[in-house]
Amino acid sequence: MTCHSCSVACVKAGKYGRERIQRYLCKQCGKRYSEPQDKPLGDVRLPDEKVRMILHCLVEGNSVRGTARLCEVQKRTVLNILKAAGGNCERLLERRIRDVPVEDVEIDEAWTFCLKKERRRTPEEKTRDDIGDQYVFIAIESSSKLVLCWQLGRRETWNTRRFIRKLRRATAPDRFQLTSDAFPAYPDAVAAALYDRADYAQLIKLYGRLPGARGDYYRPAKIKGAISAEIMGMPAPKRICTSHVERKNGTLRQWCKRFTRLTYAFSKSRENLRAALALHFAHYNFCRIHGSLRVTPAMEAGVADHVWSLPELIAI
């Protein structure tokens, strides 16, 4: 350790704190310095055990206020740690999930909202994209269950095209089969970005209203059936399926509190929602052992060679 003012070597001057951080003393000017510490979460000064507990509560489906009560910290502290960890996880996914060999990819969207639902927006708020309905586009590989990419935003053409471009960067240049629902923006986006590698098909579900159900009553519509449509290339009819990505939507609503329906745990800002999604997808890919695979999706896809711990995930 060299003194910043005198540029002379300092001597050791004891340790402090639970982490036993080394202190140094400059004998010339009398200034004291601490040993440099890695801070993957920015200027978070809580003990590592407390930060780990907060993150564990969040990935296990607890709300922000519930996490604050369990960990005995302020709500703002939980949000600061969430945003810092979410930023690290988003960069990790973009860096690690690249050129992954795939065979069958399924894509879908999950709905949520920020601050208020779409019909509650005022005329002034209708010009803002961060208030009202929000959709997260998800792409999953059906055999490894790996989340290849995701995109948060309005359910519109621009976000769809950006999502498909992310899918191109995440997949290897080999040919694969792609299946989606009947969202009209998908065919043009897939044709523009995946024209040389995707055999694309849509699974169109047919819904019907339940007998005697009112229009304002919350109840899922009844599925009458489904038909498949070959859109591009030569997709195999037996492999046209969206069951795995639909199951992933259920996992998202189970383990990310902001997506749980009919609760008060919705997101108040899109920044916090984005961070929560990044943390969830990174933990799902690298840390959580899949029930049917007995390994993590990243290990099954060959992206990782071991089960990552939560501190390892955040540090990287």
Side-chain angles (χ1 to χ4, degrees), residues 266-282:
F266 57 88
S267 287
K268 280 72 175 179
S269 73
R270 192 161 65 178
E271 181 185 7
N272 294 340
L273 177 59
R274 186 184 185 92
L277 284 169
L279 177 62
H280 168 78
F281 288 131

Side-chain angles (χ1 to χ4, degrees), residues 21-81:
I21 299 174
Q22 182 66 54
R23 295 280 287 174
Y24 293 88
L25 171 67
C26 176
K27 288 189 173 182
Q28 184 167 329
C29 65
K31 289 186 178 180
R32 294 178 181 268
Y33 300 93
S34 298
E35 188 177 29
Q37 301 293 312
D38 294 331
K39 294 185 176 181
L41 296 182
D43 193 22
V44 176
R45 301 184 181 182
L46 291 176
D48 292 343
E49 295 81 3
K50 182 74 73 173
V51 174
R52 191 179 304 118
M53 183 178 179
I54 291 172
L55 293 174
H56 270 299
C57 288
L58 292 174
V59 298
E60 290 297 329
N62 286 287
S63 64
V64 171
R65 292 181 185 273
T67 301
R69 289 192 295 268
L70 288 171
C71 300
E72 298 180 344
V73 296
Q74 296 295 321
K75 186 186 79 169
R76 177 52 55 187
T77 302
V78 177
L79 290 176
N80 289 338
I81 292 176

Side-chain angles (χ1 to χ4, degrees), residues 105-111 135-140 149-151 155 163-164 167 178-183 186 203 205 207 241-250 252-253 281:
V105 178
E106 304 172 15
I107 56 178
D108 197 20
E109 322 87 54
W111 170 86
Y135 288 84
V136 53
F137 296 78
I138 304 173
I140 189 172
C149 62
W150 59 280
Q151 172 69 24
R155 199 168 184 247
F163 169 63
I164 299 299
L167 179 59
L178 177 67
T179 308
S180 74
D181 57 11
F183 182 43
Y186 279 136
L203 188 65
K205 296 180 181 179
Y207 295 92
C241 175
T242 58
S243 299
H244 300 93
V245 70
E246 294 283 1
R247 179 62 183 84
K248 181 65 191 78
N249 291 345
L252 175 63
R253 296 195 181 278
F281 288 131

Side-chain angles (χ1 to χ4, degrees), residues 12-307:
K12 293 183 178 181
K15 297 181 179 181
Y16 75 98
R18 296 181 181 178
E19 316 298 332
R20 306 305 297 162
I21 299 174
Q22 182 66 54
R23 295 280 287 174
Y24 293 88
L25 171 67
C26 176
K27 288 189 173 182
Q28 184 167 329
C29 65
K31 289 186 178 180
R32 294 178 181 268
Y33 300 93
S34 298
E35 188 177 29
Q37 301 293 312
D38 294 331
K39 294 185 176 181
L41 296 182
D43 193 22
V44 176
R45 301 184 181 182
L46 291 176
D48 292 343
E49 295 81 3
K50 182 74 73 173
V51 174
R52 191 179 304 118
M53 183 178 179
I54 291 172
L55 293 174
H56 270 299
C57 288
L58 292 174
V59 298
E60 290 297 329
N62 286 287
S63 64
V64 171
R65 292 181 185 273
T67 301
R69 289 192 295 268
L70 288 171
C71 300
E72 298 180 344
V73 296
Q74 296 295 321
K75 186 186 79 169
R76 177 52 55 187
T77 302
V78 177
L79 290 176
N80 289 338
I81 292 176
L82 171 63
K83 287 187 284 189
N88 288 0
C89 290
E90 188 170 359
R91 290 187 291 272
L92 168 70
L93 291 171
E94 292 179 355
R95 186 171 66 249
R96 287 299 185 102
I97 312 297
R98 286 290 184 93
D99 298 325
V100 180
V102 295
E103 295 182 358
D104 293 279
V105 178
E106 304 172 15
I107 56 178
D108 197 20
E109 322 87 54
W111 170 86
T112 186
F113 63 94
C114 280
L115 191 61
K116 59 179 65 176
K117 292 185 178 179
E118 189 72 18
R119 64 177 181 271
R120 302 292 184 184
R121 293 203 300 171
T122 63
E124 293 78 12
E125 293 170 341
K126 290 186 181 297
T127 60
R128 297 179 56 179
D129 291 336
D130 59 340
I131 296 178
D133 288 352
Q134 301 290 322
Y135 288 84
V136 53
F137 296 78
I138 304 173
I140 189 172
E141 211 282 323
S142 60
S143 58
S144 65
K145 311 302 187 297
L146 181 74
V147 174
L148 298 167
C149 62
W150 59 280
Q151 172 69 24
L152 176 65
R154 311 282 291 182
R155 199 168 184 247
E156 56 190 12
T157 302
W158 183 85
N159 278 318
T160 306
R161 290 180 178 272
R162 187 173 182 184
F163 169 63
I164 299 299
R165 287 197 298 268
K166 286 184 177 180
L167 179 59
R168 181 179 181 87
R169 291 194 297 269
T171 56
D174 302 327
R175 202 156 189 87
F176 62 89
Q177 180 157 325
L178 177 67
T179 308
S180 74
D181 57 11
F183 182 43
Y186 279 136
D188 291 340
V190 172
L194 299 174
Y195 61 91
D196 58 341
R197 64 177 68 173
D199 296 316
Y200 175 47
Q202 287 186 342
L203 188 65
I204 305 170
K205 296 180 181 179
L206 306 176
Y207 295 92
R209 293 189 62 181
L210 295 175
R214 304 191 309 271
D216 58 346
Y217 189 74
Y218 180 83
R219 183 181 295 180
K222 184 178 181 180
I223 298 179
K224 291 185 175 181
I227 58 176
S228 58
E230 299 178 4
I231 306 299
M232 188 178 70
M234 300 181 62
K238 291 185 178 180
R239 292 161 58 190
I240 299 176
C241 175
T242 58
S243 299
H244 300 93
V245 70
E246 294 283 1
R247 179 62 183 84
K248 181 65 191 78
N249 291 345
T251 300
L252 175 63
R253 296 195 181 278
Q254 176 73 24
W255 299 110
C256 189
K257 189 66 173 179
R258 297 166 188 271
F259 280 80
T260 306
R261 294 183 183 271
L262 301 179
T263 69
Y264 295 122
F266 57 88
S267 287
K268 280 72 175 179
S269 73
R270 192 161 65 178
E271 181 185 7
N272 294 340
L273 177 59
R274 186 184 185 92
L277 284 169
L279 177 62
H280 168 78
F281 288 131
H283 184 265
Y284 169 84
N285 277 345
F286 292 95
C287 301
R288 189 185 297 276
I289 297 178
H290 197 277
S292 61
L293 301 176
R294 306 302 181 189
V295 292
T296 64
M299 294 173 63
E300 184 71 13
V303 178
D305 57 359
H306 66 283
V307 181

